[in-house]
Amino acid sequence: MTLLDGKAVSAEIRSELARRSGEFAARYGRRPSLAVLLIGNDPASEIYTRNKIKGCEEAGIRSLSYRLPGDTPQQDVLELIRALAGDDGVDGILVQLPLPAHLDAARLLCEIPPEKDVDGFSSQNMGALALGKEGIAACTPRGVMELLSRYKISADGKHAVVIGRSNTVGRPMALLLLNANATVTVCHSHTRDLKEECLRADILIAAVGKPKFVTADMVKEGAVVVDVGMDRDERGKLCGDVDFENVKDKVSYITPVPGGVGPMTVAMLLENTLQAAERRMR
Ligand code: NAP
């Protein structure tokens, strides 16, 4: 079994990005920049945004951090996004989800122009992905594809099974695998025989949000297993959707949690930002 080491790969990517950001700055007289909006004080969101801002520093990307109180009216957030959308010095806009309940996330995300939508959640970018065209792909699924590629694992002709169909992970993940010529099965809470579906996977992606949900009897011998989950076990310790200890000896490759997909998500946000900056300046 080989560990898919997202932490090491993301460090490599960040140093490549730092070099490219330096070239960008030398050419255009400014660094690529990312505006990060955090509304309210959800503790997990605070950690995620902190990691993203730290990642920007390491990759030579200027981060503009906007912290708004949890009761900020929709109109105020809308106006801020519009101002950032029209600001030539801003290459990427990220609104940290989830938002407080009184805010209409879909409406707000629509205000981010597709070329600055570095999370890839807008209908234009999701549509481009669905049509197999160039756009900005969501960071977590893109991170999974990059991790596979760095370990020279091709999806071409393989049977890939994705558990989960959320708009942020499962759905774009399935589309990226399809665009990479895998035969894709998408499973969800209505799937009749989940174990049977999973056992056919050459590449199994778990994005369920349930601790240690994927057990050894659901995994084919020699499969590649990617665990997107960020869950807490019964003792409150961070774990994934895969029962790592019991699955690891059966597979050819597997991601750990932490240190697998998580760091790749941040690396792809930075990559999306730099690419957005390069495209805009071109
Ligand atoms: P989500 O929106 O809650 O979606 C979960 C998906 O799992 C849904 O499609 C759901 O099906 C499916 N599901 C739930 N129970 C199931 C069951 N018993 N059998 C089969 N499918 C089932 O979650 P998400 O946002 O996609 O996130 C999934 C996990 O990834 C979470 O642990 C999250 O924390 C983690 N995550 C990690 C990163 C990272 O950077 N590592 C980034 C984002 C998310 P239905 O659609 O039928 O309800």
Side-chain angles (χ1 to χ4, degrees), residues 23-31 281:
E23 287 167 7
F24 180 97
R27 190 159 181 189
Y28 300 112
R30 67 169 184 89
R31 285 189 290 152
M281 295 312 282

Side-chain angles (χ1 to χ4, degrees), residues 140 163-166 168-169 187-190 194 207-210 213 228-231 241 261-262 265:
T140 300
I163 322 176
R165 58 174 167 177
S166 69
T168 48
V169 188
C187 299
H188 44 77
S189 66
H190 294 247
L194 184 67
V208 195
K210 295 193 168 157
F213 178 82
V228 178
M230 297 259 269
D231 313 313
D241 288 345
V261 175
T265 297

Side-chain angles (χ1 to χ4, degrees), residues 13 55 63 79 92-93 148 157 161 188 246:
I13 294 173
S63 63
E79 277 165 23
I93 304 171
L148 294 177
V161 174
H188 44 77
N246 294 309

Side-chain angles (χ1 to χ4, degrees), residues 43-119:
S45 295
E46 296 211 8
I47 297 172
Y48 294 148
T49 48
R50 208 181 308 137
N51 287 342
K52 289 168 185 176
I53 288 165
K54 187 164 164 263
C56 282
E57 281 160 23
E58 287 168 16
I61 292 171
R62 187 166 77 104
S63 63
L64 308 158
S65 176
Y66 295 87
R67 282 209 62 154
L68 306 180
D71 59 357
T72 305
Q74 169 95 3
Q75 189 59 28
D76 292 10
V77 185
L78 206 64
E79 277 165 23
L80 174 58
I81 295 176
R82 282 185 185 147
L84 295 168
D87 184 337
D88 268 348
V90 173
D91 299 299
I93 304 171
L94 177 145
V95 178
Q96 185 64 46
L97 301 177
L99 291 176
H102 72 283
L103 295 174
D104 179 351
R107 174 76 193 84
L108 291 171
L109 295 182
C110 280
E111 287 297 325
I112 304 175
E115 66 277 11
K116 292 190 181 187
D117 166 36
V118 286
D119 251 342

